[in-house]
Amino acid sequence: MHAFTLIEMILAIGVAAMVLIAVNTALFASLRLRDATQNVVDAAAPLDQTVTFIRRDLQCMVTPTNGTSKVLSGSFRAGNISSAGVSESVAVEMFTATGALSANSPWADIQRVTYELKQPNDRNAVGRDLYRSVVRNLLTLTTPDVQDQLMLSGVQDIKFTCFDGAVWQETWDTTGLTSTETNLPLAVRVDIQMAGKNVATEIGRAHV
């Protein structure tokens, strides 16, 4: 009957130990990579969601009109502007057909949407909070009821620039229909300055 010698047992144990060490190293490297990837995905999710909301609002903008109907298809304004019912300056104000219709919300699908930066409640937080503020009842005769939706935290700055077909304009205002900028821009570029990085996206829109 053949038996293993002590040297053979030591060699076998040594080889098995090296294999286990290699497997353990590969396993923990995979776990660290998975955690790092998950952190990147989790960090990018709010930003991706914000860009999706902005793109949808811009693509569904209502064309500004003159007369009494302007209440439901008001101006498109971009730049450091003020908006009714909003305490701080906003980056953009638009009327867009993205309102969700329901039995509990007796309003049309047209709503006024603004994007603004506010100071966070946590004084130790970096940057400011980006809010999407919505007014559903556009026919109210009193101060409109503004619903604030927190979109993104840690924002240093947000800027909307509009393309008129030739150059990019830092401001845009369709309030005065007698001005040269009475139509919606051909494209809107959104620059979101986060803490330590910059995100820019260009959102095209057909001229209507």
Side-chain angles (χ1 to χ4, degrees), residues 70-117:
K70 194 175 181 64
V71 176
L72 294 178
S73 57
S75 305
F76 170 78
R77 300 188 298 158
N80 191 20
I81 59 177
S82 60
S83 183
V86 180
S87 58
E88 300 185 28
S89 297
V90 301
V92 68
E93 176 189 85
M94 70 189 82
F95 287 72
T96 176
T98 54
L101 302 178
S102 67
N104 298 326
S105 300
W107 321 118
D109 57 346
I110 300 177
Q111 57 187 5
R112 191 192 77 187
V113 175
T114 61
Y115 286 88
E116 59 179 314
L117 291 176

Side-chain angles (χ1 to χ4, degrees), residues 1-6 8-9:
M1 183 176 180
H2 180 73
F4 293 103
T5 64
L6 180 59
E8 291 175 333
M9 292 293 295

Side-chain angles (χ1 to χ4, degrees), residues 127-160:
R128 292 176 289 176
D129 294 336
L130 175 62
Y131 279 87
R132 177 179 184 263
S133 302
V134 178
V135 174
R136 293 299 308 274
N137 183 10
L138 300 177
L139 300 177
T140 180
L141 299 178
T142 60
T143 303
D145 182 20
V146 180
Q147 300 177 357
D148 291 334
Q149 304 171 355
L150 177 61
M151 303 301 297
L152 194 61
S153 297
V155 179
Q156 188 68 29
D157 191 24
I158 182 171
K159 183 179 180 181
F160 289 78

